[in-house]
Amino acid sequence: MRFVLNGKRAEVDAPPLKRLLDVLREDCGLAGTREGCGEGECGACTVLLDGAPVNSCLVPLAHVRGRKVTTIEGLRSRVPEALAREGGTQCGICTPGVVMAASALGPKPDAARVREALAGNLCRCTGYAGIVRALAGPRAAPRPRVRAAGAAIVPKRKATGSPRTPRRGQPVRRG
């Protein structure tokens, strides 16, 4: 089977129904594309097929004949650095798939577009805020405020001019 892999011609002798994911990992030696679920649900195996993100666990090798396949190894992008800087990576299983899906977004997408593009990429570690910040900018998903360990957290009270509401079990003074 002949196709273009990461900008270079490739020829692989494998069964036509073998999953593209397995061909990339086993026959081409490219381990960056990860298998998560094997059912097209998690997005960890995302690659670009003619520039569009696809789940390589669902694509038989026969479908890539004469087409362009781009894996994480062949992608030139600053997305991985942005993800690391903004806390968008933790265990790393989903990261290659997220980077590949994000690469199809183009420059400066808004938060809604990022969330839509990454709807097929499951991440169990980050909660997505860091990923959205990395791709759409810091205003898209502000960083949570973190307090130092042991610091007292005192809630702010609103100045309403009315008497303080008594706590449960306290007598109410009227007068």
Side-chain angles (χ1 to χ4, degrees):
M1 187 76 53
R2 291 182 184 165
F3 59 101
V4 176
L5 178 59
N6 295 332
K8 298 178 183 174
R9 287 186 212 168
E11 187 168 348
V12 176
D13 184 25
L17 294 180
K18 187 173 184 179
R19 299 183 312 168
L20 178 58
L21 170 64
D22 298 326
V23 170
L24 294 172
R25 293 183 62 83
E26 298 166 6
D27 300 303
C28 300
L30 299 174
T33 303
R34 309 277 171 79
E35 179 166 9
C37 66
E39 298 176 353
E41 296 291 329
C42 73
C45 67
T46 302
V47 297
L48 300 181
L49 184 57
D50 293 335
V54 297
N55 293 327
S56 63
C57 70
L58 298 179
V59 177
L61 179 60
H63 284 274
V64 301
R65 181 186 313 245
R67 298 175 78 183
K68 295 178 184 177
V69 176
T70 306
T71 68
I72 191 75
E73 291 90 349
L75 188 68
R76 293 192 177 136
S77 172
R78 295 185 181 256
V79 171
E81 292 85 11
L83 287 170
R85 182 180 60 246
E86 294 296 337
T89 60
Q90 286 187 23
C91 78
I93 291 173
C94 70
T95 304
V98 167
V99 171
M100 297 309 293
S103 69
L105 284 171
K108 299 185 181 184
D110 64 8
R113 190 156 177 245
V114 168
R115 287 186 183 96
E116 181 181 342
L118 297 181
N121 294 81
L122 299 180
C123 176
R124 296 176 184 223
C125 301
T126 67
Y128 297 96
I131 296 170
V132 173
R133 253 194 325 274
L135 301 175
R139 290 184 181 192
R143 288 185 176 274
R145 291 178 42 191
V146 179
R147 299 183 194 282
I153 299 174
V154 180
K156 294 181 181 178
R157 291 190 187 149
K158 293 182 181 178
T160 61
S162 62
R164 192 174 131 216
T165 305
R167 292 186 187 172
R168 191 184 322 203
Q170 290 182 336
V172 178
R173 293 185 185 184
R174 302 200 190 257

